[in-house]
Amino acid sequence: MSEAAECALRTLWIGAGATVVMDLWAVLRQRLFGIPSLDYALVGRWLVHLTRGRFFHDPIGKSPRVAGEGAIGWTAHYLLGIAFAAVLLAGWGLEWARQPTLVPALIVGIGTVLLPFCVMQPAMGAGFAARRTPRPAMARFQSLITHSVFGVGLYLAAWVARVAGF
């Protein structure tokens, strides 16, 4: 297999795997602590409205629903996870994927919190870094934890691939 093909396959595996770990965390967090996870249909709604020229919502929940918003949001969620895995491999190379270590995965995972803080939350009506939410500090903390879990997921998915002989 060429290095380009190997890199593409590992990127898909690591990104999707890390996103699954993040989603499992969301389920566990909800069951143990009653903390609801993000409704990815709202992400889909935002993306569809974005194609119609509307970037900001106040809040997104009040914007009109769109057909297929759930599927669009979940697809975007997984594609973003794969894109962030591509960032990790672009920064640390294919050798990292072959012999993964935790620190680079955490750097990228924690760094991904910038997307919701700087883009998604302001665009969806929650303000920069969730400042317009009822409990901004808690929202920020939960985002940071979730994206840290995503970073651990990047490492775990790469580790599973290595152990499986991929």
Side-chain angles (χ1 to χ4, degrees), residues 14 18 21 84 87-88 92 96 100-114 143-156 158:
I14 293 168
V21 169
F84 289 136
V87 168
L88 176 58
W92 278 269
W96 176 88
T101 55
L102 184 58
V103 171
L106 281 176
I107 290 170
V108 171
I110 293 169
T112 64
V113 82
L114 291 173
S143 290
L144 187 59
I145 294 297
T146 298
H147 286 262
S148 297
V149 168
F150 177 73
V152 171
L154 289 167
Y155 169 73
L156 289 175

Side-chain angles (χ1 to χ4, degrees), residues 11-85:
T11 298
L12 289 169
W13 173 266
I14 293 168
T19 306
V20 166
V21 169
M22 186 171 138
D23 291 340
L24 291 173
W25 165 251
V27 169
L28 184 66
R29 187 179 71 170
Q30 186 165 359
R31 288 191 181 163
L32 291 179
F33 307 112
I35 300 169
S37 65
L38 175 62
D39 180 357
Y40 289 103
L42 296 176
V43 174
R45 184 179 304 173
W46 177 73
L47 289 170
V48 172
H49 282 285
L50 187 62
T51 67
R52 298 173 182 166
R54 185 167 179 202
F55 185 80
F56 291 103
H57 300 262
D58 194 30
I60 188 67
K62 291 183 180 178
S63 294
R65 292 177 186 224
V66 296
E69 64 185 31
I72 293 165
W74 277 97
T75 300
H77 173 57
Y78 273 82
L79 289 175
L80 278 170
I82 292 165
F84 289 136

